[in-house]
Amino acid sequence: MQPGVGAGRETPTDAGGTRPYRSPIREEAARVTRARIRDAAAALFVEHGYVGTTVRHVAERAGVAGRTVFTVFPGGKSELFHAAYDEALARSGARQETDVRLDTVATTGVDRILDEMTGYSVDLLERAGALMLVAIESAGADEEMREFARQAAADTAANAMTLAEGLAAHALLRPEISVQHAADVLFTVVSPQVHALLRRECGWDVETYRSWVTRTLRASLA
């Protein structure tokens, strides 16, 4: 083998030491393979559920060997699900804190705030709602999915309460609407279950669904 050629190649550093050889082409190929496997898993989870999807199915859909899936995702299905979910959140921008600028409610008005709430929620559900529903539907058969669904519901309920409290603090709820009632409405209207019923089962397009969410929140709270 020629010096410096092969997977174990090392190159000198300025300090006189060595560093592992890095190939941008290989790194890009690895990134593409990881994305292909992750996206294949996401599609299969939605189509067949978490329990009904196997690593073999993922490998076949992604066009790779089963051992490749485990090399890239050593945690198997669990790691695949979380990678798919994290990617969905990243695409929707949902890693950022749910922020509808409640500190400026007094000047922007309730309609603007409800529009922001709706926009954030619909974008999140369009990207990640199907995987949220996978966890909910698989909760009875898989302990990890049960815990995931429980934590997701708890986080959603906490966000809904924060938003309801902000609306109440700026006197934007009708007098007869309690903070808890408002939080319950927010939690339910923008739930992955309702999203799936209207978008998938009833066949609503996204703009019809978005408009319905906005009108329903406005009629129910303000």
Side-chain angles (χ1 to χ4, degrees), residues 17-35:
T18 60
R19 61 172 179 241
Y21 171 67
R22 294 182 61 188
S23 166
I25 294 176
R26 290 183 180 178
E27 290 177 355
E28 177 62 14
R31 186 194 67 78
V32 170
T33 298
R34 178 182 177 83

Side-chain angles (χ1 to χ4, degrees), residues 32-220:
V32 170
T33 298
R34 178 182 177 83
R36 188 165 70 246
I37 294 171
R38 180 200 64 220
D39 293 347
L44 287 167
F45 288 142
V46 172
E47 292 171 15
H48 303 293
Y50 184 81
V51 175
T53 298
T54 68
V55 169
R56 179 174 63 81
H57 295 148
V58 174
E60 290 174 352
R61 176 69 66 91
V64 300
R67 64 179 178 276
T68 301
V69 176
F70 281 112
T71 297
V72 180
F73 295 95
K77 275 205 313 183
S78 174
E79 187 176 353
L80 281 165
F81 180 85
H82 287 282
Y85 185 71
D86 287 345
E87 176 65 13
L89 292 187
R91 288 179 180 176
S92 70
R95 279 302 182 192
Q96 299 177 0
E97 187 70 19
T98 306
D99 178 11
V100 292
R101 305 181 186 279
L102 287 170
D103 57 328
T104 62
V105 165
T107 58
T108 59
V110 67
D111 288 332
R112 172 69 178 276
I113 296 306
L114 291 179
D115 282 345
E116 290 188 15
M117 288 182 184
T118 299
Y120 171 87
S121 299
V122 171
D123 184 47
L124 172 60
L125 289 168
E126 286 295 304
R127 298 289 189 177
L131 287 171
M132 293 178 188
L133 200 62
V134 166
I136 293 168
E137 293 174 342
S138 302
D142 185 271
E143 183 176 352
E144 183 163 354
M145 287 296 99
R146 182 161 55 251
E147 175 57 25
F148 181 93
R150 185 201 65 77
Q151 187 59 58
D155 291 344
T156 301
N159 285 337
M161 178 58 72
T162 297
L163 295 172
E165 289 172 344
L167 291 171
H170 291 86
L172 293 175
L173 295 177
R174 294 202 305 275
E176 72 273 18
I177 302 296
S178 69
V179 171
Q180 184 61 61
H181 182 89
D184 292 344
V185 168
L186 288 163
F187 178 79
T188 301
V189 171
V190 296
S191 68
Q193 294 95 325
V194 171
H195 174 263
L197 283 171
L198 295 178
R199 289 283 284 120
R200 289 164 54 183
E201 300 300 325
C202 296
W204 287 15
D205 62 64
V206 66
E207 290 308 318
T208 299
Y209 169 73
R210 188 192 306 274
S211 177
W212 175 82
V213 170
T214 302
R215 293 196 313 271
T216 300
L217 293 179
R218 185 71 171 84
S220 300

